[in-house]
Amino acid sequence: MNGIFITFEGIEACGKSTQANYLYNYLESRRINSILTKEPGGTILGDLIRNIVLHEKVFPIAELLLFLADRNQHINETILPYLEQGYIVLCDRFYHSTYAYQASGRKIGFDTVQQFNELAIQGCRPDLTFLIDLPPEVGFERKRSANLALDRIEKQNYDFHYAVRDAYLKLAREDGRIRLLDGMRPKEVLKKEILDIILETFPNMKERAIS
Ligand code: TMP
């Protein structure tokens, strides 16, 4: 049985990591082989890159190339080997983040990012992407009230974060594999919405349970 690749996207504090965790726990509880991974990160090299991009001074093109180096390593070391074994691979951020943050937020441009991203992904594309939409000020209020420190990218101004959000919404209009969800809705409602979409998109999901 072939694996399925599902990604979660959205602005800071939109709830995507929580939802990715919920889905992972659901699949585990049904004994369906799955892994939960993330970008940047998910490999030893990726963890090193994550630390650099989130905390050191990095120029925009260098930042783009670091995210893509992370992605290529992640695809070859983790994502493809698990997909080949028939796993459901859940990934917290993937290339839609690069279009939103680097192409739009950093203004590098869609065509340039696409050219380099295509080199990095070697044809590896998500089967389904959940985009959890939220106004940036709501995300930052969540961070403030939870007393969470901001990293280098989160510290960018609102223009940056609005450009990121707008790019995500544009991607959702153009890419039929993106499912747009309203991040203002309660966590439990989103959890059910996501599960319904999964079961409708992959009707044989429950047959994947290992006996
Ligand atoms: P996270 O903390 O939500 O995992 O995301 C780490 C940060 O990295 C977040 O601010 C988004 C950013 N990012 C990019 O700018 N480009 C990318 O391609 C990826 C994967 C993440």
Side-chain angles (χ1 to χ4, degrees), residues 95-127:
Y95 59 60
H96 295 103
S97 285
T98 319
Y99 288 113
Y101 284 79
Q102 279 67 51
S104 181
R106 297 288 188 221
K107 301 188 168 63
I108 293 175
F110 187 89
D111 291 348
T112 305
V113 168
Q114 187 175 40
Q115 199 179 343
F116 287 99
N117 182 60
E118 287 296 313
L119 175 71
I121 64 172
Q122 299 176 274
C124 177
R125 296 175 206 284
D127 296 297

Side-chain angles (χ1 to χ4, degrees), residues 9-13 16-17 38-41 50 53-54 63-64 67-68 70-71 92-102 106 117 143 151-154 160-161 164 168:
E9 294 280 359
I11 65 150
E12 317 297 336
K16 64 185 171 41
S17 309
K38 69 176 177 191
E39 289 194 2
R50 182 179 180 90
V53 285
L54 296 188
E63 181 183 277
L64 168 69
F67 281 119
L68 296 181
D70 165 61
R71 181 157 308 134
D92 188 345
R93 295 194 183 281
F94 195 59
Y95 59 60
H96 295 103
S97 285
T98 319
Y99 288 113
Y101 284 79
Q102 279 67 51
R106 297 288 188 221
N117 182 60
K143 290 231 153 205
D151 63 41
R152 185 180 66 88
I153 295 178
E154 289 166 336
F160 176 91
H161 292 290
V164 170
Y168 268 135

Side-chain angles (χ1 to χ4, degrees), residues 5-210:
F5 185 26
I6 299 169
T7 60
F8 291 79
E9 294 280 359
I11 65 150
E12 317 297 336
C14 67
K16 64 185 171 41
S17 309
T18 304
Q19 294 301 331
N21 265 293
Y22 282 154
L23 181 57
Y24 176 67
N25 290 335
Y26 170 86
L27 295 170
E28 282 284 281
S29 72
R30 295 294 185 282
R31 299 175 56 78
I32 296 170
N33 277 335
S34 55
I35 60 154
L36 174 56
T37 185
K38 69 176 177 191
E39 289 194 2
T43 63
I44 292 172
L45 177 66
D47 285 338
L48 293 169
I49 290 176
R50 182 179 180 90
N51 201 29
I52 293 169
V53 285
L54 296 188
H55 303 294
E56 303 300 331
K57 179 175 169 138
V58 183
F59 289 90
I61 301 289
E63 181 183 277
L64 168 69
L65 297 174
L66 285 169
F67 281 119
L68 296 181
D70 165 61
R71 181 157 308 134
N72 184 262
Q73 184 78 15
H74 190 208
I75 287 170
N76 286 297
E77 195 176 315
T78 310
I79 298 173
L80 288 182
Y82 277 101
L83 288 175
E84 279 159 15
Q85 291 175 63
Y87 275 59
I88 312 289
V89 176
L90 307 180
C91 191
D92 188 345
R93 295 194 183 281
F94 195 59
Y95 59 60
H96 295 103
S97 285
T98 319
Y99 288 113
Y101 284 79
Q102 279 67 51
S104 181
R106 297 288 188 221
K107 301 188 168 63
I108 293 175
F110 187 89
D111 291 348
T112 305
V113 168
Q114 187 175 40
Q115 199 179 343
F116 287 99
N117 182 60
E118 287 296 313
L119 175 71
I121 64 172
Q122 299 176 274
C124 177
R125 296 175 206 284
D127 296 297
L128 181 66
T129 296
F130 291 105
L131 168 58
I132 304 183
D133 178 54
L134 196 70
E137 61 274 17
V138 178
F140 285 105
E141 184 46 42
R142 287 180 182 177
K143 290 231 153 205
R144 240 191 317 274
S145 55
N147 262 330
L148 294 172
L150 300 185
D151 63 41
R152 185 180 66 88
I153 295 178
E154 289 166 336
K155 282 182 191 153
Q156 301 301 307
N157 62 26
Y158 271 115
D159 285 352
F160 176 91
H161 292 290
Y162 267 100
V164 170
R165 183 197 190 196
D166 290 347
Y168 268 135
L169 293 173
K170 186 165 184 283
L171 288 165
R173 287 192 295 273
E174 291 166 355
D175 182 342
R177 292 187 185 182
I178 297 181
R179 302 299 291 258
L180 180 62
L181 303 172
D182 179 359
M184 297 291 280
R185 291 154 71 90
K187 284 183 208 172
E188 294 299 320
V189 175
L190 277 174
K191 179 180 170 182
K192 181 167 185 311
E193 247 175 23
I194 288 175
L195 199 53
D196 288 348
I197 292 171
I198 292 282
L199 297 176
E200 170 203 305
T201 313
F202 308 105
N204 68 351
M205 183 62 86
K206 285 183 178 155
E207 289 158 28
R208 291 175 168 265
I210 43 175

